[in-house]
Amino acid sequence: TLDEIPVQAVFATTTMSAENGIQFSASSEYATHLAGNDDAVYLVLTAQAGTINTDVQRSPLNISLVIDRSGSMESEGKLDFVKQACQTVVQNLGNNDQVSVVSYDSYVNVVSKSGKVTDKDQLIRQIGGLSSGGSTNLSGGMLEGYAQTKTTLAAEQVNRVLLLSDGLANQGITDPGELNKIAQTQFEEHGIGLSTFGVGLDFNEDLMTSLAESGTGNYYFIESADQIPEIFAKELNGLLSVVAQNSTLNITFPANSLSFERAFGYQAAITGNKVQVRFNDIFAEEEKTVVLKFSKKDLNETADLNFSCALQFDDVQGGYQRLALEQDLTIGGTDNLSVYQESRNPKATRECMLFEANDRMELAIKAVDSREYDNARTYADAGIVYLQTGIEKYGSNEELQVQLTNFKAYRAELNDIEARSDMEMKYIQKSNKSSNYSLRKKK
């Protein structure tokens, strides 16, 4: 049963909720579009999960723990902390869960094949016996993790590979495009997600982030080895509280009137007049938001812009029934400036500001990666002005304040960025990329 709850209809915002507590809201920044005006058209779409019903049995897990045991994992006790984290995961698994353990350096080793844990003590001893040595065949470990997970695929499970590395992929498949295609294909064809964990300062954070994006999982930057158990526990707690699976957002837009520019927050696929965003698993109390940006083809047009938006998902707590929260959204045309300005949705505007500012931060960060330091400072200055001006005009919220604080802190780092050591540079870049990722993912 789906209950439709209109909210602030004057701002073209609607919210729908399912009995399991999943809410889906669709809004536009403005309820109207102004003839002769070239402002972009933004849609803000959010899936919000409620608390988990503890009276309902959770979905069984089908996971593979893929552990980097290359030589560099010996430093700072990284491998010891990883082993501790994986042992804790094993301790928390239930009778219906499936798990495999894969380790990799120059070669790939299956520590334990995928299956139910019948002897936790033995598996814990096997994990404890891992030692470090060799190079980083990340692709080999990842592929074996997928292979193990596929041997125990079944309906109504949470299927995920947890991939950890502290170094660069220097053996096997090393091309980022090929690796991302593997992650995307494994999810699309088999429903297996991928979460990545980068430890220390020597891994490729861009690759680990894009792998998580392509695999519809989560990315974690683990600055120090002693954080590994805590971060693993965070991912495990999420997997143990999945309330919706195979979540897909589908939007139909008026392609005769609008051109799709881009999506903020999540990857999007576009076919004709349809945009699709894959959210995959939704954890209890998690929010997933995507902002879609369109440009007008005919600036003088005053016709209504009609959108159809639908969030489809498998209701884990409702017997895996496939549900759809569907909502039509209309942006009316006007040639009256006052009508246009008064139709602005302040909350939606702040969401758009956040994602646009987040994108500007990415430009500054990428400029530093390319050693274009003057460009980086220009991007950062422009981003700060953009946020400050927007906040003054449209108000603020906690996320915008965090983004502004991050921008100012990063700009201060840029004052003498050329003089920073290699290790300092790596830390600055990895920590700021991680913060920016967490903001756009609402983590």
Side-chain angles (χ1 to χ4, degrees):
T1 302
L2 306 181
D3 299 317
E4 180 176 344
I5 308 172
V7 178
Q8 293 178 303
V10 67
F11 296 136
T13 300
T14 53
T15 301
M16 298 185 71
S17 62
E19 285 183 341
N20 71 342
I22 297 287
Q23 287 193 327
F24 171 51
S25 65
S27 62
S28 57
E29 185 187 13
Y30 288 86
T32 63
H33 67 95
L34 180 64
N37 183 288
D38 64 356
D39 287 351
V41 174
Y42 291 93
L43 297 189
V44 179
L45 304 126
T46 298
Q48 174 73 58
T51 57
I52 195 166
N53 182 355
T54 55
D55 294 330
V56 177
Q57 186 175 4
R58 67 170 175 82
S59 292
L61 303 186
N62 179 31
I63 60 175
S64 183
L65 305 173
V66 181
I67 303 169
D68 182 351
R69 64 180 186 92
S70 60
S72 57
M73 286 293 290
E74 186 66 30
S75 67
E76 303 174 29
K78 284 181 282 192
L79 185 57
D80 288 335
F81 281 111
V82 171
K83 291 190 288 187
Q84 176 188 334
C86 291
Q87 289 167 336
T88 301
V89 170
V90 171
Q91 287 283 20
N92 283 278
L93 294 178
N95 295 333
N96 294 322
D97 297 321
Q98 312 271 5
V99 65
S100 63
V101 180
V102 175
S103 67
Y104 68 95
D105 55 358
S106 302
Y107 304 95
V108 178
N109 178 49
V110 179
V111 179
S112 180
K113 293 182 179 179
S114 187
K116 294 180 180 178
V117 182
T118 56
D119 189 341
K120 287 187 177 182
D121 290 339
Q122 179 184 1
L123 183 51
I124 286 171
R125 285 193 298 272
Q126 288 176 306
I127 293 171
L130 290 173
S131 58
S132 60
S135 298
T136 308
N137 186 358
L138 183 144
S139 65
M142 183 177 75
L143 285 168
E144 186 58 46
Y146 281 124
Q148 289 297 318
T149 304
K150 280 188 282 189
T151 65
T152 48
L153 273 180
E156 303 178 0
Q157 290 183 152
V158 178
N159 305 297
R160 190 163 298 200
V161 172
L162 309 185
L163 174 67
L164 181 139
S165 180
D166 79 328
L168 301 175
N170 51 28
Q171 287 200 351
I173 301 170
T174 59
D175 178 69
E178 289 187 51
L179 291 168
N180 282 307
K181 183 62 177 177
I182 291 170
Q184 181 180 346
T185 300
Q186 292 293 336
F187 174 72
E188 291 178 349
E189 294 185 358
H190 305 288
I192 304 173
L194 175 69
S195 288
T196 60
F197 304 77
V199 185
L201 299 179
D202 292 324
F203 70 95
N204 182 340
E205 68 274 16
D206 295 329
L207 173 61
M208 296 295 267
T209 303
S210 63
L211 282 174
E213 295 267 15
S214 298
T216 67
N218 301 303
Y219 161 70
Y220 301 91
F221 166 44
I222 305 176
E223 178 185 344
S224 60
D226 59 358
Q227 295 176 318
I228 293 172
E230 174 189 350
I231 303 269
F232 258 69
K234 182 177 181 180
E235 174 74 1
L236 178 63
N237 289 338
L239 295 175
L240 292 172
S241 65
V242 171
V243 296
Q245 286 189 276
N246 300 316
S247 305
T248 303
L249 186 59
N250 295 287
I251 303 95
T252 302
F253 68 95
N256 290 335
S257 301
L258 298 176
S259 296
F260 175 72
E261 294 294 325
R262 61 163 302 175
F264 297 90
Y266 288 83
Q267 294 181 349
I270 180 167
T271 304
N273 67 335
K274 300 182 185 300
V275 179
Q276 184 177 81
V277 178
R278 294 180 181 271
F279 284 157
N280 194 12
D281 300 326
I282 301 178
F283 302 160
E285 301 182 62
E286 183 179 25
E287 177 184 332
K288 292 180 181 284
T289 295
V290 64
V291 171
L292 303 183
K293 182 177 183 180
F294 302 87
S295 60
K296 294 190 287 187
K297 291 182 175 179
D298 181 356
L299 298 184
N300 294 316
E301 184 177 295
T302 57
D304 289 351
L305 304 176
N306 297 307
F307 302 83
S308 294
C309 310
L311 176 69
Q312 297 176 318
F313 58 93
D314 295 335
D315 180 10
V316 172
Q317 298 194 294
Y320 283 85
Q321 180 184 3
R322 187 71 176 169
L323 298 182
L325 299 178
E326 301 176 344
Q327 188 59 55
D328 293 334
L329 198 64
T330 297
I331 300 176
T334 183
D335 56 8
N336 187 310
L337 178 61
S338 296
V339 169
Y340 170 67
Q341 291 175 333
E342 290 171 4
S343 74
R344 184 178 56 81
N345 180 337
K347 183 178 179 181
T349 293
R350 288 189 284 270
E351 286 288 356
C352 297
M353 284 169 51
L354 175 68
F355 282 97
E356 285 282 9
N358 193 275
D359 200 53
R360 285 161 167 75
M361 183 71 154
E362 287 292 303
L363 290 175
I365 290 172
K366 288 177 181 177
V368 172
D369 281 343
S370 301
R371 303 296 189 261
E372 298 172 357
Y373 302 123
D374 287 339
N375 285 343
R377 285 185 275 263
T378 298
Y379 287 136
D381 287 337
I384 291 170
V385 171
Y386 171 81
L387 270 175
Q388 290 176 329
T389 302
I391 288 172
E392 183 178 344
K393 288 179 65 176
Y394 306 121
S396 188
N397 58 28
E398 182 178 353
E399 291 173 317
L400 286 172
Q401 289 300 325
V402 170
Q403 185 76 74
L404 181 57
T405 298
N406 290 351
F407 243 127
K408 290 180 176 179
Y410 190 59
R411 179 61 181 88
E413 299 275 15
L414 295 179
N415 285 331
D416 61 349
I417 194 71
E418 296 94 335
R420 298 302 184 105
S421 69
D422 182 58
M423 295 302 287
E424 287 178 314
M425 184 80 79
K426 287 180 178 179
Y427 173 75
I428 290 169
Q429 292 298 91
K430 282 178 170 60
S431 60
N432 279 282
K433 289 176 184 179
S434 177
S435 297
N436 223 35
Y437 170 86
S438 295
L439 269 173
R440 65 177 174 269
K441 295 297 184 181
K442 304 287 187 178
K443 295 186 182 298

